[in-house]
Amino acid sequence: PPGSTAQVFAPGLISDTRPKTWEAFGTFSGDGNTFCYHRVEGVFVSEHFEQGWTRPERIGIIKRYHPSVWSPCLSADANSIYFTRAMLKPVARRNLYRCNRTAHQWDRPQCLEPPISSSLPEITCSVAANNTLYFGSGRTRPPGSKSRSIIWAASFLGTTWSQANHVALDHPRAGDPGIAPDESFMVFTAKDLPGGYGERDIYLTLHLPDGTWSKPQNLGPRINSTYIEHGPRISHDKKYLFFTRSNGWDPRKYSADIYWVELKEYLREAKAR
């Protein structure tokens, strides 16, 4: 395991550190026995059994029906993969999808209907242990809101999700959320800000008892770099942050690796403020 300085996750097994290779959006299941991530070829899953970890297997049904997948995220029970997909017709946008596991295979992905998906782009997503969805969206913020955050959250109630609510943060351009399993804190990314380290940095905010969020803190140069940090995910024991570091957005042209880092020191600093 890493310390408080980010390291490449599983080099040679998951992360291929050679130029123009792409691994991103790494997510563990709640029991730590399933790992899901993204490559140029699609969404892959590796599982741990008594004999060890299986060879990463591509979820073919996702690639077949949704070639432009982005931001896959594994549910805590490892039975669902959430992702966004770019659509060009009838209008250019991204919607949120879910692919469910059956006893023998993965089902065809289904678009999450309103109030989750909308006529505006849903960009990235992560999911809490109770299936509450946190996602970036271009939808209009509530009247009178001073927050420029594009993060929204929708609670899971029985068999579907409630109306999405805007997550107000004291931070401009907050997006790309990674929620802790118990929703006690969140990491997110933002770009082009004074004092930042690169094109997009990772920040941390605490969920306060009154329901608001603490002033976000930049996680600093041991995590952020001159490159693009994005796709943050929190392990279900809340010990580790997984994220992607890349030198460009197009997986066909640029490189990306999955990193991980211990969160204890950063959480302690945030709580002391």
Side-chain angles (χ1 to χ4, degrees), residues 39-235:
R39 287 179 177 167
V40 176
E41 299 89 347
V43 179
F44 286 75
V45 166
S46 177
E47 298 190 87
H48 185 263
F49 299 100
E50 290 183 1
Q51 298 81 7
W53 285 92
T54 62
R55 183 182 181 88
E57 177 184 359
R58 188 179 74 174
I59 308 302
I61 196 75
I62 294 180
K63 182 67 173 179
R64 188 176 311 134
Y65 286 99
H66 302 278
S68 53
V69 169
W70 190 252
S71 186
C73 186
L74 185 69
S75 64
D77 62 9
N79 288 327
S80 297
I81 296 173
Y82 298 86
F83 61 91
T84 65
R85 175 216 175 189
M87 299 179 64
L88 299 178
K89 297 179 180 180
V91 294
R93 68 178 190 271
R94 281 185 176 270
N95 284 146
L96 281 162
Y97 285 77
R98 178 174 60 173
C99 181
N100 288 329
R101 190 203 301 251
T102 66
H104 304 290
Q105 62 185 5
W106 291 87
D107 273 350
R108 180 175 177 175
Q110 299 296 320
C111 182
L112 298 182
E113 301 296 332
I116 302 299
S117 292
S118 70
S119 60
L120 295 165
E122 272 65 62
I123 308 162
T124 58
C125 66
S126 66
V127 59
N130 60 7
N131 288 323
T132 295
L133 277 173
Y134 284 72
F135 55 96
S137 176
R139 64 189 71 192
T140 304
R141 294 181 288 273
S145 174
K146 296 181 180 179
S147 170
R148 294 166 59 192
S149 160
I150 65 166
I151 298 175
W152 295 72
S155 300
F156 189 73
L157 303 174
T159 59
T160 189
W161 285 269
S162 66
Q163 186 70 34
N165 294 306
H166 182 240
V167 178
L169 295 174
D170 181 17
H171 198 286
R173 304 176 188 171
D176 193 14
I179 190 64
D182 60 359
E183 302 178 79
S184 60
F185 66 95
M186 178 171 60
V187 288
F188 65 88
T189 69
K191 66 175 184 176
D192 299 334
L193 294 174
Y197 296 89
E199 182 174 336
R200 185 173 286 271
D201 286 352
I202 300 177
Y203 294 76
L204 184 147
T205 177
L206 303 176
H207 205 174
L208 302 177
D210 63 0
T212 62
W213 297 86
S214 68
K215 185 175 179 61
Q217 68 177 70
N218 188 304
L219 291 183
R222 289 179 292 175
I223 292 177
N224 294 310
S225 71
T226 57
Y227 295 103
I228 302 168
E229 276 72 40
H230 67 100
R233 304 280 189 264
I234 306 298
S235 64

Side-chain angles (χ1 to χ4, degrees), residues 231-265:
R233 304 280 189 264
I234 306 298
S235 64
H236 281 263
D237 57 10
K238 300 190 293 184
K239 289 183 178 180
Y240 301 103
L241 163 66
F242 292 82
F243 66 94
T244 306
R245 179 177 292 166
S246 60
N247 60 358
W249 290 109
D250 190 337
R252 300 165 298 179
K253 299 179 181 179
Y254 298 100
S255 306
D257 292 307
I258 298 170
Y259 282 71
W260 64 327
V261 65
E262 189 177 49
L263 277 173
K264 177 172 62 177
E265 180 178 328

